[in-house]
Amino acid sequence: MNTLPQQLANGLFLGSMYGLIAIGYTMVYGIVQLINFAHGEIFMTGGFGALTVYLALPDGISMWIALPAMLLGGALVAVLIAVGAERFAYRPLRGAPRLAPLITAIGLSLAIKEAVFNWYPDAKTSRVFPQLPFGPLHLGSVTVQSGDVFLILAAPLCMAVLGFFVRFSRTGRAMQATAQDPDTAQLMGIDTNRIIVVAFAIGGFFAAVAGLSYGLKYGSVAYDMGFLAGLKAFTAAVLGGIGNIYGAMLGGLVLGIAEAMATAYISDIPGMQQLGGGSWAPVWAFVLLILVLLFRPQGLLGERVADRA
């Protein structure tokens, strides 16, 4: 029990990253009823975009100066790929049976991953990611690693800005109208194609923030890091209530805490010593998903398509 505060903090940090990625799933689903399974790879390209910007900067540059440029570069790459996917892969299939865009999303995911694997220099192994220039912070019995500091600042700020944008901005209200009834929204003068592009762009930006956070947290990025992270983020979106932006973040936090607790404490239960440790964390994440779907299929906060805020 002495490690409980630390494990809770670890779960919150991990869950915040899952929540940032899950926002992309839930935004797109809320608008066009599409599960964008390529979103995990968009998260991965955000991390590589940030790394590319850092490598292009002069040697010895301060991380405090490099960090905004890395965020901008990662966001630019992720948003361009997300918007390009919508325009060239998903938009032509918008009127097709739902299985067609789902298969397209899976194929796009594989294509992006293989493109990075084959074309990015030395991507066949993990690439070392720069770190923030200070040591761990000690808050009582809780230790906050330097890589988590950016995450705990960026996640609530991004959520607050997104919540304000969706609720109060003209575009945000248009997004809610498009989610509720795209045909009627178009008749009312809303450019639904532009609104869908905005949803993909926002998801790409959040994925880039998560990709930068991942690199700072773990010290490296890899071409295959998007698959499992994307799958867990999709799980978080379902846990919270697909189509609900606050539910996506809540689902991420619940999932992160569940993983941290299971990793730390399952092995202490008699007869379950072999089921603990980090290698079993994904298993317990999906066990949690199954339990939630059994007892509350609509998710923790319920599915909200017309009004995600």
Side-chain angles (χ1 to χ4, degrees), residues 165-184:
F165 173 79
V166 171
R167 182 175 293 275
F168 297 108
S169 72
R170 184 182 181 90
T171 302
R173 291 193 295 271
M175 292 174 70
Q176 296 185 49
T178 303
Q180 185 174 17
D181 190 333
D183 294 331
T184 302

Side-chain angles (χ1 to χ4, degrees), residues 182-206:
D183 294 331
T184 302
Q186 195 164 17
L187 290 174
M188 296 295 291
I190 296 174
D191 186 348
T192 54
N193 284 330
R194 183 181 69 85
I195 295 302
I196 293 170
V197 169
V198 170
F200 272 86
I202 291 173
F205 176 80
F206 273 66

Side-chain angles (χ1 to χ4, degrees), residues 41-284:
E41 273 55 53
I42 293 173
F43 151 77
M44 177 267 292
T45 60
F48 273 93
L51 176 63
T52 301
V53 169
Y54 178 80
L55 295 176
L57 293 173
D59 293 338
I61 190 171
S62 169
M63 269 297 289
W64 300 117
I65 299 175
L67 193 61
M70 293 169 66
L71 177 58
L72 182 61
L76 181 62
V77 171
V79 168
L80 285 176
I81 292 177
V83 171
E86 188 280 329
R87 178 62 184 86
F88 299 107
Y90 299 137
R91 188 180 299 184
L93 299 174
R94 198 170 294 165
R98 289 193 177 185
L99 190 59
L102 179 63
I103 294 173
T104 300
I106 296 173
L108 183 61
S109 170
L110 295 174
I112 294 173
K113 183 169 71 172
E114 289 302 314
V116 173
F117 177 78
N118 287 289
W119 296 338
Y120 195 90
D122 300 322
K124 295 177 175 60
T125 57
S126 297
R127 294 295 306 265
V128 176
F129 206 86
Q131 298 296 289
L132 294 175
F134 58 89
L137 304 178
H138 300 283
L139 306 175
S141 61
V142 175
T143 299
V144 181
Q145 300 297 328
S146 60
D148 291 321
V149 173
F150 174 81
L151 182 59
I152 61 178
L153 294 176
L157 178 61
C158 287
M159 281 301 302
V161 172
L162 179 61
F164 181 87
F165 173 79
V166 171
R167 182 175 293 275
F168 297 108
S169 72
R170 184 182 181 90
T171 302
R173 291 193 295 271
M175 292 174 70
Q176 296 185 49
T178 303
Q180 185 174 17
D181 190 333
D183 294 331
T184 302
Q186 195 164 17
L187 290 174
M188 296 295 291
I190 296 174
D191 186 348
T192 54
N193 284 330
R194 183 181 69 85
I195 295 302
I196 293 170
V197 169
V198 170
F200 272 86
I202 291 173
F205 176 80
F206 273 66
V209 175
L212 176 57
S213 301
Y214 183 98
L216 294 173
K217 180 178 178 64
Y218 295 109
S220 65
V221 290
Y223 77 96
D224 58 351
M225 72 184 197
F227 174 75
L228 188 56
L231 203 56
K232 289 182 180 180
F234 172 66
T235 302
V238 176
L239 282 176
I242 191 73
N244 187 319
I245 60 173
Y246 298 125
M249 183 56 72
L250 176 62
L253 294 177
V254 170
L255 187 62
I257 291 173
E259 276 198 27
M261 293 299 173
T263 301
Y265 298 121
I266 286 291
S267 59
D268 294 335
I269 301 175
M272 300 186 68
Q273 288 81 1
Q274 301 300 318
L275 303 182
S279 61
W280 279 83
V283 175
W284 295 114

